[in-house]
Amino acid sequence: MSHRKFERPRHGSLGFLPRKRCRRIRAKLRSFPLDNSKHAPHLTAFMGFKAGMTHVVRDLDRPGSKMHKKEVVESATVLECPPMIVIGLVGYRNAAKGLKPVRTVWANHIPTQVKRAFVRNWSRSKKRPFTKFEKSVEDPEVQARRAKKIGKLRNCSTVVRLIVASQPSLCKKLGQKKSHIMEVQINGGKAGEKVDFGLSLLETAITVDTVFKESEMVDCLGVSKGHGFEGATHRWGTTRLPRKTHKGLRKVACIGAWHPARVGRTVPRAGQNGFHHRVELNKKIFRIGKSQEVDKANGKCTTDLTDKTITPLGGFVGWGIIRNDFLLVKGSVVGHRKRAITLRRPLHLTSSRAGIEKIELKLIDTTTKLGHGRFQTIEEKAKFVGPTKKSALKEESK
């Protein structure tokens, strides 16, 4: 910073370089929480879909804070989490350059929505994935090979992971039939116990409440909103040049010295903005709710007089009704609505007051998200507005 009168920090973080488009729309889990063999076998990750946002009212339980035992209003994101189907089991061993696969054991029956993921165009394909495998399931030789694979997993594996598939078809607004397939690590217990735990879950549907608990922390992995090719001012937040600048003012004035005769990597340049792979650590779980078929009052809190669901009046914008299990997470979550969000048990455990705080919600806002909402339920609106022409005709028809 020679010849500068005042110091100025650089614009934009270099920690996120290269700022390039993500190859996949679903975030990839590259690491899992530390394993502890003293604990019982348990799963460490799940997948949900971003439905929308609302806000909650609660009493803060944080001794030492000025807001202790006072009401706070906080934003929250609703993630719809349909059950995931377990379709396989894979084991890894430690090698010189990371993990090496030992064996993979598949479930005897693979759903069609999973087979779609192995073909580019399902309707035009010959629908061959897993056909030979499913025909030979009852063959004694195949069963013997399967038993040999399971024995190899028990004896040689140090890491055991489930192969699970999402069910996007249960979320009507997604308009997607093809499953997302991911690996979920089994932590806790010895290798044999992990394999037995994984085999017991094959061909079953696992729910989000078997992986996470209320008031716990969760890591959210996703792909951010895409903004396309953007200039240096919008992409990096650099200062605009004076009004009379030649050939534009949303530029970087000096992009480097004469020598070295190249542009440095730290210089802000135009390029891709958004649609990046991002990880958000330690987000608080406000509520884990059951589907509205199981629990008609999955949105009810301590101050609500009547039962209500988590879905606001008129549904979430661009999403509609929450029909499956859901997660209510504090604050915003990366990505656009309908985006697949990978949820992981916290990689770095926190012992802060906010981390260990128990959550008791007083209100989850369910007013309409299409404008300035006033009513929490349809019954409340009907009671205030009174009989309308539509409701009168409905009563006459009865």
Side-chain angles (χ1 to χ4, degrees):
M1 286 261 184
S2 59
H3 309 295
R4 182 184 285 277
K5 197 167 186 180
F6 303 104
E7 184 187 1
R8 179 193 61 77
R10 66 159 287 111
H11 289 285
S13 173
L14 297 176
F16 295 102
L17 291 179
R19 292 196 177 190
K20 57 198 290 188
R21 277 180 61 85
C22 192
R23 285 183 300 165
R24 58 181 72 82
I25 203 165
R26 175 188 63 82
K28 186 177 181 181
L29 277 172
R30 296 189 177 94
S31 53
F32 289 90
L34 194 65
D35 192 7
N36 189 348
S37 60
K38 293 179 181 177
H39 297 160
H42 58 275
L43 301 178
T44 54
F46 205 80
M47 183 182 289
F49 299 95
K50 186 173 176 179
M53 290 190 72
T54 183
H55 66 264
V56 300
V57 179
R58 67 185 184 96
D59 286 332
L60 199 70
D61 182 22
R62 205 171 294 172
S65 171
K66 290 183 178 180
M67 293 296 291
H68 180 51
K69 292 186 177 180
K70 292 182 180 178
E71 272 192 359
V72 290
V73 179
E74 293 176 322
S75 61
T77 303
V78 181
L79 304 172
E80 189 165 354
C81 303
M84 299 189 77
I85 301 171
V86 182
I87 58 171
L89 187 71
V90 59
Y92 296 91
R93 62 181 175 83
N94 289 320
K97 293 183 179 179
L99 297 174
K100 296 291 180 185
V102 178
R103 290 290 183 274
T104 302
V105 176
W106 293 97
N108 291 336
H109 304 286
I110 306 295
T112 306
Q113 58 188 357
V114 177
K115 293 177 185 176
R116 285 175 177 271
F118 292 89
V119 179
R120 179 168 290 180
N121 191 323
W122 178 256
S123 61
R124 292 182 182 178
S125 72
K126 295 183 178 178
K127 301 171 178 58
R128 284 177 174 172
F130 291 96
T131 48
K132 288 184 180 179
F133 171 77
E134 288 179 341
K135 286 178 182 176
S136 62
V137 163
E138 302 297 332
D139 189 357
E141 289 186 10
V142 174
Q143 290 180 349
R145 284 202 298 269
R146 181 188 173 92
K148 194 174 180 181
K149 282 183 180 180
I150 293 170
K152 190 88 171 175
L153 286 176
R154 285 198 177 96
N155 297 328
C156 302
S157 299
T158 53
V159 174
V160 180
R161 293 175 182 171
L162 287 181
I163 304 172
V164 297
S166 65
Q167 299 187 79
S169 57
L170 296 179
C171 300
K172 302 299 181 186
K173 277 287 184 177
L174 274 178
Q176 181 179 334
K177 299 175 184 177
K178 188 184 293 187
S179 292
H180 296 283
I181 300 173
M182 61 183 282
E183 288 185 2
V184 174
Q185 187 162 305
I186 300 173
N187 278 2
K190 304 290 184 184
E193 295 171 355
K194 291 177 182 178
V195 172
D196 292 336
F197 177 72
L199 291 172
S200 68
L201 292 175
L202 280 181
E203 297 185 36
T204 62
I206 54 174
T207 54
V208 69
D209 57 353
T210 59
V211 183
F212 304 107
K213 296 287 181 285
E214 282 187 12
S215 301
E216 285 184 347
M217 298 300 233
V218 63
D219 294 345
C220 297
L221 294 83
V223 178
S224 63
K225 286 183 183 180
H227 298 279
F229 193 98
E230 291 282 4
T233 300
H234 183 69
R235 193 182 185 213
W236 293 96
T238 55
T239 307
R240 291 193 312 158
L241 300 177
R243 183 185 61 82
K244 295 178 72 175
T245 307
H246 183 55
K247 289 188 177 179
L249 49 82
R250 296 175 65 88
K251 297 172 176 288
V252 177
C254 177
I255 59 171
W258 193 310
H259 290 290
R262 55 189 172 273
V263 180
R265 69 178 187 88
T266 62
V267 178
R269 306 291 277 164
Q272 174 65 30
N273 185 33
F275 208 77
H276 306 309
H277 189 286
R278 293 290 177 262
V279 181
E280 294 180 286
L281 301 177
N282 292 335
K283 301 186 80 69
K284 196 76 170 176
I285 298 175
F286 281 157
R287 174 166 290 190
I288 298 176
K290 289 286 185 183
S291 65
Q292 62 179 13
E293 292 181 1
V294 178
D295 186 8
K296 296 286 186 184
N298 58 19
K300 188 178 180 181
C301 298
T302 54
T303 57
D304 288 311
L305 300 176
T306 56
D307 293 348
K308 67 175 185 179
T309 59
I310 191 69
T311 307
L313 292 181
F316 281 105
V317 180
W319 182 266
I321 300 168
I322 305 292
R323 292 184 170 87
N324 302 287
D325 296 356
F326 66 89
L327 224 62
L328 190 66
V329 179
K330 181 182 176 181
S332 61
V333 172
V334 67
H336 203 274
R337 62 172 176 269
K338 300 185 182 179
R339 187 79 32 103
I341 304 295
T342 307
L343 305 165
R344 179 184 62 194
R345 289 176 72 92
L347 199 65
H348 305 291
L349 296 173
T350 177
S351 58
S352 64
R353 291 274 172 85
I356 61 177
E357 182 183 3
K358 294 294 178 185
I359 302 296
E360 285 188 20
L361 300 179
K362 295 177 76 174
L363 174 73
I364 299 173
D365 181 60
T366 54
T367 58
T368 178
K369 306 302 174 191
L370 293 161
H372 300 286
R374 296 173 61 188
F375 308 106
Q376 295 290 331
T377 60
I378 297 172
E379 294 77 18
E380 184 184 334
K381 182 180 179 181
K383 190 176 179 181
F384 182 86
V385 174
T388 60
K389 187 178 179 180
K390 191 175 180 180
S391 64
L393 289 170
K394 196 174 183 181
E395 285 183 9
E396 284 176 14
S397 63
K398 289 180 181 179

